[in-house]
Amino acid sequence: MGRKLALIATYSLVLSFLLAGCGVQSSKPNGLSAPKATSTATSNGNQNASQTDNTIYRVPNSCKLEGVNAAFAKIIPPSKYIATKWQPAPGTDLYAAINGGGIACSYGDQEAEVGGTILWASNKNGLWDSRVAQWQKDGMVAVDIPGVDETAAYKLPEGATSADNLPAWRVNLLIGDLWIQLGAAFIQSWDEATPIINAAIAAAK
């Protein structure tokens, strides 16, 4: 599908995936690669903060994050924060994040139905490891995100599609003890994704 069509479908696709907990079909359904780190961080007992390299990462208190929205706006102007009443299905990443004290925020052009969603959640009570097990079943692969000093990361492989056969792009990363997920079907490369990921990390400091 062409980039223009992917942009038009992106926002509704991301939200429907998170709300309904739809599966994702992978072109490489069980492929795995070596993780960036040999072990994942464990919870430090703080429900809202984690620390690595003397940097404390917290789940943002609000979705009104100018830096994050600005990163989206560089690709899909005019981007705005899109208030959403989430009703997550059990077993989904959205459900796990929100029930773990995290938040989910969508940004983009609502009228054009173009945008993406970011999750932030503290890694407590084995949350990250439990999601990794599910991601591996879903065909996600371990990756090293360029320009990001994450502890570990898992991404849908190239060519992955949603249940509606539309493009699907999603990455999960652990930095310190904070889990961040970016899902946005309009993304086609790390050059587009990394600035948004870095903005999401900066919003957690």
Side-chain angles (χ1 to χ4, degrees):
M1 178 178 294
R3 180 182 178 87
K4 183 175 181 181
L5 291 178
L7 285 171
I8 294 174
T10 298
Y11 176 68
S12 58
L13 167 65
V14 173
L15 290 188
S16 64
F17 173 78
L18 289 173
L19 291 171
C22 296
V24 175
Q25 299 172 350
S26 166
S27 62
K28 293 186 269 185
N30 290 308
L32 296 174
S33 60
K36 185 171 185 177
T38 56
S39 61
T40 59
T42 57
S43 174
N44 60 9
N46 188 325
Q47 294 186 356
N48 297 309
S50 62
Q51 183 171 353
T52 182
D53 296 332
N54 298 320
T55 300
I56 297 176
Y57 297 92
R58 296 182 175 88
V59 174
N61 294 322
S62 167
C63 289
K64 296 180 179 180
L65 304 168
E66 293 183 3
V68 174
N69 185 61
F72 274 95
K74 289 181 179 179
I75 307 175
I76 47 172
S79 177
K80 294 181 180 179
Y81 160 60
I82 302 170
T84 306
K85 293 183 179 180
W86 300 109
Q87 296 179 332
T92 63
D93 289 341
L94 180 62
Y95 184 92
I98 291 179
N99 280 271
I103 62 172
C105 307
S106 293
Y107 305 87
D109 184 345
Q110 189 170 16
E111 292 185 0
E113 296 186 339
V114 182
T117 300
I118 301 179
L119 310 180
W120 290 266
S122 295
N123 177 31
K124 56 186 179 182
N125 301 322
L127 177 60
W128 173 264
D129 288 341
S130 69
R131 299 318 300 167
V132 167
Q134 183 60 52
W135 298 331
Q136 290 177 333
K137 291 180 182 178
D138 293 341
M140 279 193 160
V141 295
V143 295
D144 183 354
I145 304 174
V148 177
D149 189 21
E150 81 280 5
T151 303
Y154 288 84
K155 176 185 174 295
L156 287 175
E158 298 300 325
T161 60
S162 70
D164 296 327
N165 291 321
L166 294 172
W169 198 101
R170 189 163 69 257
V171 65
N172 295 281
L173 64 135
L174 182 69
I175 184 160
D177 274 344
L178 185 68
W179 165 30
I180 298 175
Q181 180 187 96
L182 168 63
F186 66 84
I187 292 176
Q188 295 187 354
S189 70
W190 286 119
D191 288 340
E192 294 174 331
T194 300
I196 298 176
I197 292 172
N198 279 325
I201 294 172
K205 294 182 179 179

